[in-house]
Amino acid sequence: IRTLFQLEQEHRGATAEEQEVLSQYVGWGGLPDAFDPDKSNWSKEYTELKGLLSEDEYAAARSSVLNAHYTSPTVIRSIYDAVERMGFQSGNILEPSMLPTSMADSRLYGVELDSITGRIAQKLYPQADITVAGFETTDRRDFYDLAVGNVPFGQYKVNDKAYNKLGFSIHNYFFAKAIDQVR
């Protein structure tokens, strides 16, 4: 996060070394204790986050602890290996992960709700079009050739007028909307 802030303050892209640092960011999923002032064994992290993040950034980070989980590079590589074996070579890809060099001609698009995570993705994938907003604010029907991602899971709904009537849980909503956006 400090590296991200430095890059933003200096209005520049990340060097290879800084991209290595940024790539170690894993999101907030599973870290609710870092946001709990009553957890004494997390007090250092709590204090650091409160001092480092703006109120909005802190609130967004805290609200993502239930569903912002990191996908390991091994899983991502396996997904892209399978997609390649199915014959996909290039096109518009929704939600960039670790794109293999064999698909380097593709145009990458990502959507990330959490500001810190989205801004880090923008520095890691400067050639990509990363939207920092909720998926419900985007609409590119029949635009993508491939959708790859680790969707949030939970028994709650997303407010998206086009999908509200279907009553989908958040994960089913993400699947349905992604499918609607793939050609």
Side-chain angles (χ1 to χ4, degrees), residues 24 44 59 77 132 165:
Q24 294 174 33
K44 177 181 177 276
R77 267 189 233 104
V132 180
K165 66 182 178 278

Side-chain angles (χ1 to χ4, degrees), residues 118-179:
R119 287 159 41 211
I120 286 175
Q122 289 170 337
K123 296 297 183 183
L124 284 172
Y125 303 98
Q127 75 287 3
D129 179 348
I130 308 288
T131 300
V132 180
F135 194 35
E136 66 277 10
T137 68
T138 67
D139 188 11
R140 287 186 165 140
R141 289 186 185 271
D142 299 320
F143 177 78
Y144 300 105
D145 301 299
L146 175 69
V148 176
N150 183 358
V151 303
F153 279 79
Q155 294 305 317
Y156 54 94
K157 297 174 181 12
V158 173
N159 183 19
D160 185 330
K161 290 179 194 175
Y163 294 86
N164 286 347
K165 66 182 178 278
L166 301 171
F168 287 142
S169 61
I170 189 167
H171 49 277
N172 289 333
Y173 162 77
F174 267 74
F175 292 136
K177 185 162 184 169
I179 288 169

